[in-house]
Amino acid sequence: MLDTTTTTTTRTGGAVPAWTTALTVLLLPVAFLFGGLAPMAADSCGPDHCSRSLDNTLAAVYFLWLASWTATPALTLASWFAPHPTARRWTAWTALFPPATVILLTLGL
């Protein structure tokens, strides 16, 4: 007799897309808030007198903040519809990178 639960779990890529979708839904609003408030870190030094490291960090936050709203939803959808289970897992975990990195970088400002 064929065990359908193992076949279904293997075919769908497991629970990784479901977990990462839930984490994405939780991380995106926080990343939006932190990324939107990150430029306020440069208020004390003005646009011309900030250190190079602060400017570089703010540029990375801005880039990843935009990726959080473009690449993350696309990768989350791809994790549900990818044909191979390994591709589902990789796209699912990759979708969490931009919002998590925005949060971590802004906490370091």
XYZ file of all heavy atoms in Angstrom:
817
model
N 0.837 -1.176 0.000
C 0.000 0.000 0.000
C 0.885 1.244 0.000
O 1.891 1.311 0.687
C -0.912 -0.018 1.217
C -1.847 1.162 1.270
S -3.033 1.001 2.571
C -4.426 0.507 1.626
N 0.492 2.228 -0.756
C 1.257 3.462 -0.908
C 0.920 4.428 0.224
O -0.243 4.697 0.504
C 0.933 4.098 -2.257
C 1.677 5.374 -2.590
C 3.168 5.094 -2.683
C 1.172 5.940 -3.886
N 1.962 4.939 0.879
C 1.771 5.915 1.944
C 1.621 7.302 1.308
O 2.584 7.900 0.867
C 2.967 5.877 2.892
C 2.781 6.791 4.080
O 1.654 7.228 4.340
O 3.780 7.065 4.742
N 0.408 7.833 1.264
C 0.145 9.097 0.565
C 0.635 10.308 1.338
O 0.917 11.341 0.748
C -1.355 9.258 0.276
O -2.059 9.204 1.511
C -1.830 8.184 -0.675
N 0.767 10.234 2.654
C 1.221 11.401 3.410
C 2.675 11.716 3.104
O 3.040 12.871 2.946
C 1.050 11.179 4.925
O 1.780 10.013 5.318
C -0.405 11.041 5.283
N 3.519 10.687 3.005
C 4.919 10.919 2.679
C 5.053 11.441 1.259
O 5.814 12.367 1.002
C 5.728 9.615 2.833
O 5.512 9.106 4.136
C 7.200 9.864 2.605
N 4.299 10.872 0.346
C 4.370 11.308 -1.043
C 3.892 12.744 -1.191
O 4.515 13.547 -1.882
C 3.503 10.394 -1.940
O 3.843 9.042 -1.663
C 3.744 10.682 -3.387
N 2.827 13.104 -0.503
C 2.308 14.469 -0.596
C 3.283 15.463 0.011
O 3.540 16.518 -0.567
C 0.938 14.563 0.121
O 0.082 13.600 -0.442
C 0.354 15.941 -0.026
N 3.855 15.136 1.165
C 4.803 16.044 1.809
C 6.055 16.210 0.963
O 6.555 17.314 0.800
C 5.182 15.520 3.208
O 4.002 15.343 3.952
C 6.107 16.471 3.917
N 6.544 15.136 0.399
C 7.731 15.219 -0.441
C 7.427 16.000 -1.711
O 8.226 16.804 -2.163
C 8.221 13.803 -0.802
O 8.431 13.079 0.399
C 9.503 13.861 -1.585
N 6.253 15.798 -2.264
C 5.896 16.463 -3.510
C 5.677 17.957 -3.297
O 5.997 18.772 -4.144
C 4.632 15.822 -4.089
C 4.293 16.288 -5.457
C 3.201 15.438 -6.064
N 2.222 14.994 -5.105
C 0.984 15.475 -5.016
N 0.587 16.396 -5.837
N 0.149 15.012 -4.119
N 5.135 18.359 -2.170
C 4.857 19.773 -1.941
C 6.034 20.531 -1.350
O 5.977 21.732 -1.215
C 3.653 19.947 -0.996
O 3.962 19.340 0.258
C 2.400 19.368 -1.597
N 7.093 19.856 -0.976
C 8.247 20.551 -0.426
C 8.191 20.692 1.076
O 8.958 21.431 1.662
N 7.286 20.003 1.723
C 7.193 20.056 3.169
C 6.462 21.278 3.668
O 5.700 21.920 2.950
N 6.740 21.614 4.907
C 6.062 22.736 5.551
C 6.848 24.034 5.437
O 6.418 25.049 5.967
C 5.833 22.397 7.019
N 7.970 24.019 4.745
C 8.812 25.215 4.652
C 8.086 26.388 4.002
O 8.141 27.510 4.522
C 10.140 24.891 3.939
C 10.966 26.144 3.726
C 10.923 23.879 4.735
N 7.383 26.207 2.872
C 6.667 27.367 2.312
C 5.622 27.947 3.264
O 5.450 29.163 3.334
C 6.015 26.817 1.045
C 6.873 25.670 0.647
C 7.341 25.073 1.942
N 4.959 27.107 4.027
C 3.953 27.607 4.966
C 4.606 28.402 6.096
O 4.128 29.478 6.474
C 3.145 26.451 5.534
N 5.710 27.888 6.634
C 6.403 28.597 7.712
C 6.986 29.919 7.236
O 6.896 30.935 7.929
C 7.524 27.729 8.308
C 7.021 26.736 9.285
C 6.880 25.396 9.099
C 6.572 27.005 10.609
N 6.369 24.816 10.221
C 6.168 25.779 11.167
C 6.462 28.158 11.368
C 5.676 25.680 12.464
C 5.968 28.062 12.659
C 5.587 26.837 13.189
N 7.595 29.901 6.083
C 8.195 31.146 5.608
C 7.143 32.164 5.190
O 7.372 33.369 5.317
C 9.167 30.887 4.449
O 8.478 30.188 3.419
C 10.357 30.102 4.907
N 5.993 31.702 4.723
C 4.912 32.639 4.424
C 4.430 33.312 5.709
O 4.221 34.530 5.737
C 3.751 31.927 3.718
O 4.234 31.341 2.506
C 2.624 32.885 3.407
N 4.281 32.541 6.761
C 3.862 33.120 8.045
C 4.915 34.087 8.573
O 4.577 35.183 9.049
C 3.609 32.001 9.053
N 6.187 33.709 8.476
C 7.248 34.613 8.934
C 7.333 35.864 8.076
O 7.602 36.961 8.585
C 8.592 33.882 8.930
C 8.802 32.872 10.044
C 10.084 32.089 9.815
C 8.846 33.571 11.385
N 7.097 35.722 6.786
C 7.115 36.877 5.895
C 6.003 37.853 6.251
O 6.209 39.067 6.283
C 6.979 36.423 4.430
O 8.070 35.562 4.128
C 6.978 37.592 3.483
N 4.832 37.320 6.537
C 3.708 38.182 6.918
C 4.020 38.930 8.214
O 3.621 40.083 8.384
C 2.416 37.344 7.040
C 1.299 38.110 7.720
C 1.971 36.860 5.668
N 4.768 38.315 9.102
C 5.136 38.979 10.355
C 6.307 39.951 10.185
O 6.341 40.996 10.841
C 5.490 37.933 11.414
C 4.348 37.036 11.869
C 4.876 35.949 12.797
C 3.274 37.847 12.549
N 7.260 39.619 9.331
C 8.451 40.448 9.190
C 8.258 41.666 8.294
O 8.894 42.702 8.515
C 9.613 39.620 8.641
C 10.273 38.636 9.584
C 11.328 37.835 8.841
C 10.885 39.341 10.770
N 7.408 41.577 7.286
C 7.267 42.684 6.342
C 6.791 43.992 6.979
O 7.360 45.042 6.689
C 6.364 42.290 5.181
C 7.057 41.547 4.048
C 6.062 41.170 2.965
C 8.191 42.333 3.472
N 5.786 44.000 7.840
C 5.408 45.282 8.462
C 6.516 45.873 9.339
O 6.718 47.089 9.349
C 4.175 44.945 9.297
C 3.651 43.689 8.739
C 4.822 42.951 8.186
N 7.248 45.027 10.032
C 8.342 45.514 10.873
C 9.456 46.082 9.994
O 10.016 47.148 10.286
C 8.864 44.382 11.784
C 10.045 44.847 12.610
C 7.752 43.876 12.688
N 9.779 45.380 8.899
C 10.805 45.874 7.982
C 10.365 47.180 7.322
O 11.178 48.075 7.104
C 11.111 44.823 6.921
N 9.078 47.292 7.005
C 8.568 48.532 6.427
C 8.732 49.690 7.408
O 9.190 50.766 7.037
C 7.100 48.368 6.050
C 6.485 49.621 5.502
C 6.836 50.086 4.253
C 5.564 50.341 6.235
C 6.283 51.257 3.742
C 5.001 51.499 5.742
C 5.361 51.952 4.489
N 8.389 49.474 8.646
C 8.514 50.517 9.667
C 9.974 50.886 9.905
O 10.338 52.070 9.880
C 7.875 50.046 10.975
C 7.992 50.996 12.152
C 7.117 52.222 11.909
C 7.596 50.301 13.432
N 10.819 49.895 10.115
C 12.231 50.168 10.389
C 12.915 50.802 9.185
O 13.720 51.723 9.339
C 12.959 48.887 10.784
C 12.714 48.452 12.195
C 11.638 48.919 12.929
C 13.560 47.551 12.804
C 11.422 48.507 14.224
C 13.354 47.134 14.100
C 12.281 47.617 14.812
N 12.632 50.294 7.991
C 13.242 50.854 6.793
C 12.781 52.272 6.521
O 13.541 53.103 6.033
N 11.528 52.565 6.847
C 11.026 53.917 6.670
C 11.592 54.903 7.676
O 11.749 56.084 7.382
N 11.927 54.426 8.858
C 12.491 55.291 9.891
C 14.016 55.363 9.845
O 14.607 56.204 10.528
C 12.051 54.809 11.274
C 10.547 54.889 11.566
C 10.251 54.299 12.936
C 10.055 56.311 11.480
N 14.661 54.516 9.062
C 16.128 54.470 9.020
C 16.760 55.789 8.586
O 17.793 56.174 9.142
C 16.597 53.332 8.119
N 16.207 56.534 7.617
C 16.850 57.804 7.250
C 16.900 58.821 8.387
O 17.686 59.769 8.338
C 15.998 58.316 6.094
C 15.403 57.112 5.491
C 15.164 56.192 6.649
N 16.097 58.654 9.409
C 16.153 59.568 10.548
C 17.457 59.447 11.319
O 17.795 60.329 12.102
C 14.973 59.320 11.479
C 13.665 59.753 10.924
S 12.419 59.535 12.197
C 10.974 60.009 11.318
N 18.204 58.364 11.080
C 19.496 58.214 11.742
C 20.486 59.245 11.244
O 21.460 59.567 11.931
C 20.045 56.810 11.507
N 20.255 59.799 10.058
C 21.156 60.796 9.494
C 20.701 62.219 9.798
O 21.323 63.170 9.326
C 21.262 60.606 7.987
N 19.649 62.399 10.567
C 19.161 63.741 10.867
C 20.158 64.561 11.678
O 20.260 65.772 11.509
C 17.831 63.674 11.624
C 16.665 63.363 10.721
O 16.846 63.399 9.483
O 15.576 63.070 11.240
N 20.880 63.927 12.561
C 21.790 64.683 13.430
C 23.028 65.173 12.693
O 23.610 66.185 13.070
C 22.213 63.823 14.616
O 22.946 62.706 14.158
N 23.440 64.503 11.631
C 24.664 64.912 10.943
C 24.391 65.608 9.617
O 25.315 66.117 8.993
C 25.575 63.713 10.721
S 24.855 62.387 9.762
N 23.166 65.647 9.173
C 22.857 66.305 7.907
C 23.290 65.451 6.723
O 23.999 64.471 6.880
N 22.892 65.821 5.522
C 23.203 64.978 4.368
C 24.670 65.027 3.945
O 25.158 64.110 3.307
C 22.307 65.540 3.263
C 22.026 66.946 3.671
C 22.045 66.959 5.173
N 25.391 66.084 4.303
C 26.765 66.228 3.825
C 27.826 65.852 4.858
O 29.003 65.724 4.516
C 27.018 67.671 3.378
C 26.109 68.072 2.232
O 25.762 67.173 1.436
O 25.751 69.254 2.139
N 27.457 65.709 6.102
C 28.449 65.518 7.158
C 28.388 64.144 7.806
O 29.016 63.940 8.835
C 28.285 66.587 8.232
C 28.350 67.985 7.680
N 29.521 68.523 7.196
C 27.393 68.925 7.521
C 29.272 69.758 6.759
N 27.991 70.020 6.948
N 27.660 63.230 7.243
C 27.567 61.879 7.808
C 28.795 61.059 7.418
O 29.429 61.305 6.392
C 26.313 61.168 7.310
S 24.805 61.868 7.972
N 29.086 60.062 8.236
C 30.227 59.198 7.933
C 29.914 58.310 6.733
O 28.758 58.074 6.388
C 30.562 58.331 9.151
O 29.512 57.416 9.384
N 30.966 57.825 6.123
C 30.824 56.963 4.949
C 30.109 55.657 5.319
O 29.304 55.149 4.557
C 32.201 56.681 4.370
C 32.240 55.678 3.241
C 31.655 56.218 2.004
N 32.701 56.715 1.143
C 32.416 57.264 -0.016
N 31.168 57.369 -0.384
N 33.367 57.705 -0.782
N 30.392 55.133 6.504
C 29.770 53.873 6.914
C 28.261 54.040 7.124
O 27.485 53.145 6.784
C 30.430 53.330 8.178
O 30.248 54.229 9.249
N 27.848 55.180 7.655
C 26.417 55.424 7.824
C 25.728 55.555 6.472
O 24.644 55.001 6.272
C 26.176 56.680 8.664
C 24.707 57.046 8.906
C 24.002 55.955 9.699
C 24.595 58.374 9.600
N 26.360 56.258 5.542
C 25.785 56.378 4.205
C 25.673 55.020 3.511
O 24.669 54.728 2.862
C 26.618 57.325 3.346
C 26.465 58.774 3.772
O 25.449 59.100 4.414
O 27.370 59.569 3.452
N 26.709 54.192 3.660
C 26.676 52.863 3.048
C 25.602 51.986 3.673
O 24.907 51.242 2.975
C 28.036 52.189 3.159
C 29.074 52.843 2.283
O 28.745 53.548 1.335
N 30.339 52.621 2.614
N 25.459 52.065 4.980
C 24.437 51.272 5.653
C 23.046 51.726 5.240
O 22.166 50.896 4.984
C 24.588 51.369 7.184
O 25.909 50.954 7.538
C 23.582 50.506 7.895
N 22.833 53.026 5.148
C 21.534 53.530 4.722
C 21.232 53.155 3.277
O 20.080 52.880 2.932
C 21.456 55.040 4.907
C 21.330 55.511 6.349
C 21.408 57.026 6.410
C 20.058 55.003 6.981
N 22.246 53.118 2.427
C 22.041 52.686 1.042
C 21.657 51.217 0.989
O 20.757 50.826 0.223
C 23.297 52.944 0.222
N 22.303 50.397 1.801
C 21.957 48.972 1.844
C 20.552 48.771 2.405
O 19.780 47.938 1.901
C 22.977 48.207 2.689
N 20.197 49.527 3.437
C 18.849 49.429 4.004
C 17.808 49.818 2.966
O 16.785 49.151 2.813
C 18.724 50.302 5.278
C 17.276 50.481 5.683
C 19.506 49.686 6.415
N 18.074 50.880 2.224
C 17.117 51.325 1.205
C 16.947 50.274 0.115
O 15.827 49.966 -0.296
C 17.568 52.654 0.608
C 16.633 53.177 -0.460
C 15.370 53.636 -0.120
C 17.000 53.180 -1.790
C 14.501 54.100 -1.090
C 16.138 53.648 -2.767
C 14.887 54.101 -2.415
O 14.018 54.552 -3.372
N 18.058 49.714 -0.368
C 17.992 48.694 -1.404
C 17.231 47.465 -0.916
O 16.353 46.939 -1.608
C 19.403 48.303 -1.852
C 19.422 47.169 -2.821
C 19.056 47.360 -4.139
C 19.798 45.897 -2.407
C 19.063 46.314 -5.039
C 19.808 44.846 -3.295
C 19.440 45.051 -4.619
N 17.552 46.998 0.283
C 16.872 45.813 0.817
C 15.430 46.119 1.207
O 14.577 45.232 1.175
C 17.656 45.264 2.007
C 18.986 44.631 1.635
C 19.827 44.390 2.874
C 18.774 43.346 0.870
N 15.159 47.363 1.573
C 13.786 47.762 1.873
C 12.923 47.655 0.623
O 11.800 47.164 0.674
C 13.785 49.177 2.432
C 12.488 49.686 2.932
C 11.805 49.219 4.027
C 11.718 50.754 2.392
N 10.664 49.944 4.191
C 10.571 50.897 3.207
C 11.879 51.602 1.321
C 9.601 51.850 2.965
C 10.908 52.559 1.083
C 9.790 52.668 1.895
N 13.466 48.104 -0.509
C 12.740 47.945 -1.772
C 12.620 46.476 -2.168
O 11.584 46.052 -2.686
C 13.430 48.735 -2.888
C 13.382 50.248 -2.766
C 14.178 50.885 -3.886
C 11.957 50.750 -2.765
N 13.659 45.704 -1.929
C 13.604 44.269 -2.232
C 12.589 43.556 -1.353
O 11.997 42.551 -1.773
C 14.983 43.645 -2.056
N 12.361 44.080 -0.150
C 11.360 43.475 0.729
C 9.965 43.573 0.133
O 9.112 42.731 0.395
C 11.359 44.154 2.099
O 12.548 43.916 2.772
N 9.730 44.602 -0.646
C 8.396 44.796 -1.219
C 8.272 44.279 -2.637
O 7.173 44.260 -3.181
C 8.011 46.271 -1.153
C 7.889 46.670 0.266
C 8.811 47.345 1.011
C 6.829 46.350 1.155
N 8.372 47.481 2.300
C 7.155 46.872 2.423
C 5.626 45.670 1.011
C 6.331 46.734 3.521
C 4.804 45.539 2.116
C 5.159 46.070 3.353
N 9.387 43.889 -3.255
C 9.316 43.363 -4.617
C 9.737 41.895 -4.670
O 8.978 41.050 -5.120
C 10.190 44.196 -5.564
O 11.515 44.254 -5.052
C 9.650 45.601 -5.707
N 10.946 41.608 -4.223
C 11.471 40.251 -4.338
C 10.845 39.294 -3.327
O 10.612 38.125 -3.648
C 12.983 40.264 -4.167
N 10.576 39.766 -2.121
C 10.047 38.868 -1.094
C 8.680 38.289 -1.468
O 8.498 37.074 -1.369
C 10.002 39.586 0.268
O 11.338 39.937 0.629
C 9.408 38.706 1.342
N 7.700 39.099 -1.904
C 6.441 38.474 -2.319
C 6.596 37.551 -3.528
O 5.952 36.493 -3.589
C 5.540 39.661 -2.669
C 6.113 40.799 -1.926
C 7.588 40.551 -1.874
N 7.472 37.921 -4.463
C 7.683 37.065 -5.633
C 8.310 35.728 -5.240
O 7.898 34.671 -5.726
C 8.555 37.791 -6.649
N 9.295 35.768 -4.350
C 9.926 34.531 -3.901
C 8.991 33.696 -3.041
O 9.027 32.462 -3.087
C 11.210 34.842 -3.133
C 12.383 35.311 -3.976
C 13.497 35.842 -3.086
C 12.885 34.190 -4.853
N 8.136 34.345 -2.266
C 7.164 33.595 -1.468
C 6.177 32.866 -2.368
O 5.862 31.690 -2.131
C 6.425 34.539 -0.503
O 7.395 35.210 0.313
C 5.472 33.787 0.384
N 5.696 33.538 -3.395
C 4.811 32.862 -4.352
C 5.537 31.752 -5.100
O 4.967 30.685 -5.343
C 4.231 33.872 -5.339
C 3.107 34.740 -4.821
C 2.739 35.790 -5.865
C 1.906 33.910 -4.451
N 6.775 31.996 -5.466
C 7.544 30.970 -6.172
C 7.774 29.750 -5.296
O 7.845 28.632 -5.805
C 8.871 31.549 -6.636
N 7.876 29.956 -3.989
C 8.075 28.807 -3.102
C 6.850 27.895 -3.069
O 6.972 26.708 -2.805
C 8.424 29.276 -1.692
O 7.306 29.844 -1.050
N 5.697 28.437 -3.345
C 4.490 27.611 -3.391
C 4.310 26.912 -4.732
O 3.702 25.856 -4.805
C 3.255 28.460 -3.096
C 3.118 28.794 -1.653
C 3.463 29.956 -1.048
C 2.633 27.939 -0.614
N 3.210 29.886 0.293
C 2.697 28.655 0.586
C 2.147 26.638 -0.598
C 2.303 28.120 1.799
C 1.745 26.101 0.618
C 1.828 26.840 1.793
N 4.826 27.520 -5.805
C 4.561 26.988 -7.135
C 5.770 26.387 -7.830
O 5.666 25.990 -8.987
C 3.964 28.089 -8.026
C 2.643 28.578 -7.522
C 2.503 29.883 -7.079
C 1.552 27.747 -7.467
C 1.297 30.347 -6.597
C 0.337 28.192 -6.991
C 0.200 29.493 -6.550
N 6.916 26.333 -7.181
C 8.099 25.731 -7.804
C 7.872 24.234 -8.001
O 7.261 23.570 -7.160
C 9.330 25.977 -6.940
N 8.366 23.683 -9.107
C 8.072 22.282 -9.404
C 8.869 21.285 -8.564
O 8.423 20.169 -8.349
C 8.447 22.147 -10.884
C 9.436 23.219 -11.130
C 9.076 24.340 -10.197
N 10.022 21.664 -8.070
C 10.876 20.738 -7.335
C 10.890 21.100 -5.854
O 10.977 22.274 -5.502
C 12.298 20.797 -7.917
C 13.144 19.659 -7.501
N 13.893 19.690 -6.359
C 13.354 18.450 -8.070
C 14.542 18.545 -6.229
N 14.233 17.783 -7.261
N 10.827 20.120 -4.947
C 10.810 20.424 -3.508
C 12.037 21.194 -3.028
O 11.925 22.067 -2.169
C 10.745 19.052 -2.843
C 10.190 18.150 -3.867
C 10.622 18.692 -5.200
N 13.192 20.899 -3.572
C 14.398 21.633 -3.164
C 14.313 23.088 -3.592
O 14.698 23.993 -2.839
C 15.653 20.973 -3.771
O 15.661 19.596 -3.394
C 16.908 21.644 -3.270
N 13.797 23.327 -4.778
C 13.619 24.713 -5.237
C 12.610 25.442 -4.367
O 12.767 26.633 -4.095
C 13.161 24.724 -6.690
N 11.593 24.737 -3.904
C 10.615 25.362 -3.005
C 11.263 25.798 -1.704
O 11.009 26.885 -1.202
C 9.474 24.397 -2.720
C 8.566 24.217 -3.874
C 7.463 23.254 -3.530
N 6.666 23.045 -4.718
C 5.358 22.970 -4.714
N 4.710 23.052 -3.590
N 4.709 22.784 -5.828
N 12.085 24.922 -1.144
C 12.735 25.262 0.128
C 13.702 26.428 -0.034
O 13.731 27.342 0.785
C 13.453 24.040 0.692
C 12.515 23.019 1.281
C 13.263 21.957 2.041
N 14.110 21.132 1.190
C 13.702 20.040 0.561
N 12.452 19.654 0.686
N 14.528 19.352 -0.173
N 14.508 26.425 -1.094
C 15.476 27.496 -1.297
C 14.799 28.835 -1.545
O 15.215 29.859 -1.007
C 16.413 27.156 -2.452
C 17.551 26.307 -2.008
C 17.660 24.953 -2.149
C 18.719 26.723 -1.322
N 18.823 24.515 -1.601
C 19.505 25.583 -1.087
C 19.186 27.948 -0.892
C 20.722 25.641 -0.433
C 20.405 28.003 -0.236
C 21.155 26.860 -0.012
N 13.767 28.857 -2.369
C 13.087 30.131 -2.612
C 12.357 30.612 -1.370
O 12.288 31.817 -1.119
C 12.099 30.027 -3.786
O 11.183 28.968 -3.540
C 12.815 29.817 -5.100
N 11.843 29.687 -0.591
C 11.141 30.079 0.634
C 12.099 30.721 1.632
O 11.814 31.783 2.191
C 10.461 28.860 1.257
N 13.250 30.107 1.857
C 14.194 30.672 2.818
C 14.854 31.937 2.286
O 15.190 32.841 3.052
C 15.257 29.643 3.213
C 14.710 28.563 4.080
C 14.668 27.235 3.798
C 14.098 28.698 5.362
N 14.070 26.547 4.830
C 13.717 27.423 5.800
C 13.832 29.788 6.187
C 13.089 27.204 7.024
C 13.201 29.567 7.411
C 12.845 28.293 7.811
N 15.032 32.034 0.974
C 15.611 33.237 0.393
C 14.659 34.425 0.509
O 15.098 35.567 0.607
C 15.971 32.980 -1.086
O 16.799 31.821 -1.151
C 16.718 34.137 -1.693
N 13.370 34.159 0.523
C 12.382 35.237 0.637
C 12.494 35.983 1.958
O 12.122 37.158 2.049
C 10.974 34.667 0.472
N 13.006 35.336 2.978
C 13.117 35.976 4.295
C 14.343 36.873 4.426
O 14.428 37.669 5.369
C 13.169 34.912 5.391
C 11.915 34.081 5.564
C 12.155 32.982 6.584
C 10.767 34.959 5.989
N 15.281 36.772 3.500
C 16.530 37.533 3.628
C 16.348 39.058 3.624
O 16.853 39.727 4.528
C 17.523 37.106 2.538
C 18.801 37.861 2.572
C 19.739 37.608 3.547
C 19.063 38.855 1.644
C 20.919 38.317 3.600
C 20.238 39.572 1.682
C 21.173 39.301 2.664
N 15.644 39.657 2.648
C 15.562 41.129 2.648
C 14.898 41.729 3.892
O 15.474 42.629 4.511
C 14.783 41.451 1.371
C 15.007 40.289 0.482
C 15.103 39.110 1.390
N 13.711 41.263 4.321
C 13.139 41.921 5.500
C 13.936 41.686 6.777
O 14.077 42.596 7.594
C 11.725 41.338 5.604
C 11.697 40.145 4.762
C 12.777 40.284 3.755
N 14.486 40.498 6.927
C 15.281 40.232 8.135
C 16.551 41.074 8.153
O 16.944 41.596 9.204
C 15.633 38.744 8.206
N 17.169 41.274 7.004
C 18.386 42.076 6.939
C 18.089 43.554 7.173
O 18.872 44.255 7.815
C 19.084 41.874 5.586
O 19.247 40.472 5.370
C 20.434 42.531 5.567
N 16.953 44.042 6.676
C 16.561 45.435 6.942
C 16.412 45.656 8.443
O 16.914 46.638 8.999
C 15.254 45.793 6.205
C 14.652 47.079 6.744
C 15.505 45.926 4.724
N 15.760 44.739 9.104
C 15.554 44.865 10.548
C 16.888 44.846 11.287
O 17.146 45.683 12.161
C 14.611 43.754 11.051
C 13.209 43.956 10.469
C 14.563 43.716 12.564
C 12.276 42.794 10.665
N 17.759 43.914 10.929
C 19.053 43.815 11.617
C 19.945 45.027 11.348
O 20.627 45.513 12.256
C 19.766 42.527 11.209
C 19.117 41.246 11.703
C 19.839 40.036 11.136
C 19.103 41.197 13.215
N 19.948 45.515 10.114
C 20.780 46.683 9.813
C 20.284 47.943 10.513
O 21.089 48.760 10.980
C 20.840 46.922 8.306
C 21.759 46.012 7.508
C 21.623 46.292 6.024
C 23.195 46.168 7.935
N 18.987 48.128 10.591
C 18.470 49.338 11.242
C 18.653 49.264 12.752
O 18.787 50.300 13.397
C 16.998 49.583 10.905
O 16.248 48.409 11.202
C 16.836 49.948 9.459
N 18.664 48.072 13.309
C 18.940 47.974 14.740
C 20.386 48.340 15.049
O 20.689 48.744 16.169
C 18.638 46.558 15.244
C 17.147 46.203 15.311
C 16.976 44.752 15.735
C 16.417 47.109 16.277
N 21.274 48.217 14.058
C 22.675 48.577 14.248
C 22.978 50.045 14.028
O 24.094 50.491 14.220
N 21.993 50.821 13.575
C 22.236 52.253 13.365
C 22.271 52.894 14.705
O 22.547 53.822 15.134
C 21.155 52.869 12.489
C 21.125 52.391 11.036
C 19.925 52.993 10.320
C 22.395 52.804 10.327
